[in-house]
Amino acid sequence: MATIPLTKRGAELLKAELHRLKTVERPWVINAISEARAQGDLSENAEYEAAKDKQGFIEGRILEVEGKLAVGQVIDPSTLNAGGRIVFGATVDLEEEESGDAVTYQIVGEDEADIKFGRISVGSPISRALIGKEAGDVAVVNAPGGAKNYEIIEVRYT
């Protein structure tokens, strides 16, 4: 399996999720299954079925998170020396040429992407258009509404 890039923050979030799944969610669902079994006939027991479904989801997510952490490559943006080029972990200030709107994005892994907080996935169309460019360049992003041009104002590694 190929390595998965993670920011330091993203790796910590996955570790925290894994800890919560193992220490809170898993014991809770085991208790819920035990309580549902105590109600008697399992063939028509909706609580039992729901708890078993939840257990399957939790166990699957534990395996998924453990797998990502096992192959994850943690990248600390503050230690990068990319010569001003946009790379994974970089924070980029952009200006949309047509409207003049300014936006700031950090390029992160898919699990930590959240557009509301300015974090975009490394696999997103915007990230793919930005990778390798530097301040002063123009990135053309092919969006569903048509191509948009973004001027790169500043690149930071924080």
Side-chain angles (χ1 to χ4, degrees):
M1 183 180 225
T3 61
I4 297 172
L6 301 168
T7 64
K8 198 172 166 184
R9 179 186 169 286
E12 292 304 317
L13 287 173
L14 283 176
K15 288 176 187 174
E17 180 184 3
L18 183 62
H19 179 73
R20 180 183 52 77
L21 287 168
K22 286 183 170 182
T23 62
V24 176
E25 300 288 330
R26 183 186 269 166
W28 176 86
V29 80
I30 289 170
N31 186 49
I33 290 170
S34 181
E35 287 178 9
R37 275 192 179 141
Q39 293 177 9
D41 185 13
L42 298 181
S43 64
E44 294 181 19
N45 190 328
E47 289 85 6
Y48 177 76
E49 290 300 322
K52 289 298 283 182
D53 288 346
K54 179 79 173 170
Q55 182 183 38
F57 172 79
I58 290 169
E59 295 303 324
R61 183 64 183 157
I62 287 171
L63 289 173
E64 181 182 358
V65 171
E66 285 176 338
K68 287 180 180 183
L69 288 170
V71 298
Q73 177 185 5
V74 179
I75 299 168
D76 183 355
S78 65
T79 63
L80 294 176
N81 183 12
R85 296 214 175 269
I86 299 171
V87 294
F88 179 86
T91 300
V92 185
D93 295 328
L94 305 170
E95 183 177 301
E96 207 268 314
E97 287 188 337
E98 190 173 307
S99 68
D101 292 340
V103 292
T104 300
Y105 295 125
Q106 181 183 21
I107 300 173
V108 297
E110 68 178 51
D111 284 310
E112 55 188 311
D114 189 341
I115 195 71
K116 289 181 284 192
F117 296 104
R119 292 187 288 270
I120 57 174
S121 169
V122 68
S124 71
I126 295 174
S127 291
R128 290 195 311 266
L130 293 172
I131 297 287
K133 296 199 172 19
E134 55 191 32
D137 289 349
V138 173
V140 178
V141 178
N142 293 316
K148 290 189 175 201
N149 295 332
Y150 289 93
E151 181 180 353
I152 300 163
I153 307 300
E154 185 181 4
V155 179
R156 298 184 307 281
Y157 310 103
T158 55

